[in-house]
């Protein structure tokens, strides 16, 4: 059995008592008059279910109010408050069409009530009774209906705000998933590419130069350890309640030396040129610059192994990051097959989010150039300040 909320039951009981005290004659000349109580009880019991079935309960209260106006039974009782509460509920919980029809339906009992006030007015006061009842009763109905519609509009507004918050939260989660996917791509692709190149080189010299093969294995071990450490840092972000490495800064330009050292250890010839005076960068932009260099070196190792590569940082109003390599000296040794095809696309998106520009192009000698222009912190402040 469906039970109404206790608060609605108490409201129905309190309103029934108030309606009977104000709008009925419980004390008749011949003694206590219990007929209004017996008549009101079933209708006000239904009023307790007004939130679950607003329209049927409104219909019950409408009939409950019309019968005494048409038949004068029970004598001395004119139900009023129950119909107003039912109207309020329909206006608050039903669509505008139902609410408008409910308001229109109250015109009939209201007209009869005004007529009854005029009929029962003392001699000479019929006109005043008409004016007073003709203003108060319509004002009460329209005000009640208006409050209900305001509640409905407020509820709809809250629901829309909740929906927008849910959409924004989903968009933020999607953006975070994309960011994590880029981080995973950058970490895994770079480390695995260099590890494969080291393994291929070590295999070729395993019998002729055991010392070089051992060095290659040591580099593979270090690269694997670095990749695991970065993955652990990234996974810590997914466990915000975890202690340990959570909160560590993502790699930035200050980690470039370590990155270049690791690549040079594979035997690659990597030049590093810095021009201009270093300017402050937002942490996210610094990470973007690091990832650009990392992806450029990884692509060179995959597609043009053995060729020289130059990393150039040019400081000015913007930070220019450029990675240039010559043509491939021999076919890729297994690293080219690891390409997902999304590295440069991901970089372009990352640079766009940072507010920069990203370009790739072949060089005149058959090599490849990857470049990006990133805003410095001072430049960002100038752009954001009106």
């Amino acid at each position: 059995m469906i039970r109404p909320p206790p608060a609605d039951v108490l409201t129905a009981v309190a309103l029934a008592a108030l309606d009977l005290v104000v709008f009925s004659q419980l004390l008749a000349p011949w003694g206590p008059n219990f007929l209004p109580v017996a008549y009101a009880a079933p209708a006000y019991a239904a009023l307790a279910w007004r939130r679950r079935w607003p329209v049927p309960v409104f219909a019950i209260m409408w009939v409950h109010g019309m019968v005494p106006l048409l038949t004068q039974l029970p004598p001395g009782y004119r139900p009023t408050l129950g119909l107003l509460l039912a109207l309020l509920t329909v206006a608050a919980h039903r669509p505008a069409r139902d609410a408008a029809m409910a308001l229109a339906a109250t015109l009939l009992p209201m007209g009869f009530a005004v007529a009854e006030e005029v009929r029962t007015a003392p001699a000479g006061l019929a006109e005043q009774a008409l004016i007073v009842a003709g203003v108060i009763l319509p004002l009460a109905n329209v005000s009640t209906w208006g409050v209900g519609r305001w509640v409905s509009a407020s509820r709809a507004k809250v629901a829309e705000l909740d929906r927008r918050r849910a959409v924004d939260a989903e968009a933020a989660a999607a953006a975070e998933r994309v960011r994590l996917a880029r981080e995973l791509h950058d970490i895994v692709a770079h480390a695995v590419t260099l590890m494969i190149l080291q393994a291929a080189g070590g295999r070729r010299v395993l019998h002729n130069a055991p010392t070089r093969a051992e060095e290659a294995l040591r580099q593979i071990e270090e690269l694997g350890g670095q990749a695991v450490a970065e993955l652990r840092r990234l996974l810590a972000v997914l466990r915000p309640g975890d202690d340990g490495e959570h909160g560590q800064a993502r790699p930035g330009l200050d980690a470039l030396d370590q990155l270049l050292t690791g690549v040079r250890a594979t035997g690659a010839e990597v030049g590093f040129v810095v021009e201009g005076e270093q300017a402050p960068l937002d942490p996210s932009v610094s990470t973007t610059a690091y990832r650009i260099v990392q992806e450029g070196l990884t692509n060179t190792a995959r597609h043009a192994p053995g060729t020289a590569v130059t990393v150039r940082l040019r400081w000015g109003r913007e930070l220019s990051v450029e990675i240039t390599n010559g043509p491939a000296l021999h076919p890729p040794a297994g690293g080219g097959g690891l390409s997902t095809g999304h590295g440069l696309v991901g970089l372009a998106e990352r640079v766009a989010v940072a507010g920069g520009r990203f370009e790739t192009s072949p060089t005149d000698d058959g090599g490849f150039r990857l470049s990006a222009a990133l805003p410095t912190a001072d430049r960002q402040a100038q752009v954001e300040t009106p």
Side-chain angles (χ1 to χ4, degrees):
M1 179 180 178
I2 301 175
R3 296 183 178 181
D8 288 351
V9 174
L10 292 176
T11 299
V13 171
L15 203 67
L18 184 61
D19 198 49
L20 288 168
V21 169
V22 177
F23 298 103
S24 73
Q25 297 176 357
L26 295 179
L27 296 178
W30 58 87
N33 182 13
F34 294 107
L35 290 178
V37 177
Y39 177 76
Y44 275 94
L47 194 64
W49 276 272
R50 62 189 177 86
R51 295 182 193 272
R52 185 172 182 84
W53 296 296
V55 174
V57 170
F58 174 82
I60 292 172
M61 298 309 299
W62 188 88
V63 173
H64 173 71
M66 283 296 297
V67 169
L69 291 172
L70 295 175
T71 65
Q72 305 300 316
L73 295 175
Y77 181 40
R78 190 181 303 161
T80 303
L81 300 181
L83 183 59
L84 288 177
L85 183 58
L87 174 63
L88 174 68
T89 306
V90 171
H93 293 273
R94 297 296 299 168
R97 181 172 176 270
D98 291 349
M101 292 179 64
L103 179 62
T106 61
L107 293 177
L108 187 59
M110 182 177 63
F112 276 97
V114 172
E116 183 66 13
E117 289 290 338
V118 174
R119 186 183 67 82
T120 59
L125 297 178
E127 184 176 349
Q128 290 85 338
L130 174 62
I131 295 174
V132 172
V135 171
I136 292 178
L137 292 180
L139 183 61
N141 282 4
V142 172
S143 298
T144 300
W145 182 87
V147 170
R149 294 312 297 165
W150 175 80
V151 171
S152 177
S154 298
R155 185 180 293 110
K157 184 176 182 180
V158 170
E160 176 64 16
L161 290 175
D162 290 341
R163 186 192 68 80
R164 290 183 180 179
R165 278 194 291 266
V167 171
D168 291 344
E170 179 60 29
E176 182 65 10
R177 287 193 293 269
V178 171
R179 187 189 69 79
L180 291 175
R182 291 172 184 162
E183 292 284 336
L184 286 171
H185 171 273
D186 294 338
I187 294 170
V188 175
H190 177 74
V192 172
T193 298
L194 297 185
M195 290 166 67
I196 287 180
L197 294 175
Q198 287 280 21
R203 179 174 55 81
R204 286 195 296 268
V205 299
L206 179 62
H207 300 292
N208 300 328
T211 303
R212 289 179 59 188
E214 182 181 358
E215 177 64 19
L217 291 175
R218 187 186 66 79
Q219 289 294 329
I220 290 173
E221 182 181 8
E222 289 185 1
L223 288 169
Q226 292 172 7
V228 169
E230 283 209 65
L231 288 174
R232 186 179 295 116
R233 173 193 58 77
L234 185 61
L235 293 176
V237 177
L238 302 178
R239 299 192 298 270
D242 230 1
D243 293 330
E245 292 186 342
H246 176 59
Q248 288 186 356
R250 288 177 287 173
L253 289 181
D254 54 351
L256 271 186
D257 288 341
Q258 182 180 0
L259 175 65
L260 297 177
T261 299
V263 175
R264 286 168 179 155
T266 67
E269 182 182 345
V270 182
F272 184 44
V273 179
V274 179
E275 300 176 1
E277 184 177 353
Q278 182 171 348
L281 290 178
D282 286 344
S284 61
V285 178
S286 182
T287 298
T288 298
Y290 176 89
R291 294 303 186 197
I292 292 170
V293 176
Q294 185 183 53
E295 182 65 21
L297 295 175
T298 302
N299 281 340
T300 300
R302 284 175 182 159
H303 305 295
T307 187
V309 58
T310 301
V311 177
R312 186 182 304 274
L313 301 183
R314 185 178 297 109
W315 295 92
R317 289 174 57 83
E318 297 177 314
L319 168 61
S320 174
V321 182
E322 184 179 277
I323 300 93
T324 307
N325 62 264
L329 300 181
H330 51 77
L338 290 173
S339 176
T340 64
H342 299 293
L344 295 181
V345 174
L347 272 187
E349 294 176 351
R350 185 192 290 271
V351 171
V353 170
R357 303 183 305 279
F358 180 77
E359 295 179 356
T360 59
S361 62
T363 60
D364 295 337
D365 61 357
F368 191 75
R369 177 185 295 107
L370 183 155
S371 63
L374 299 172
T376 62
D378 292 340
R379 179 62 176 165
Q380 281 188 325
Q382 292 174 7
V383 172
E384 293 172 0
T385 302

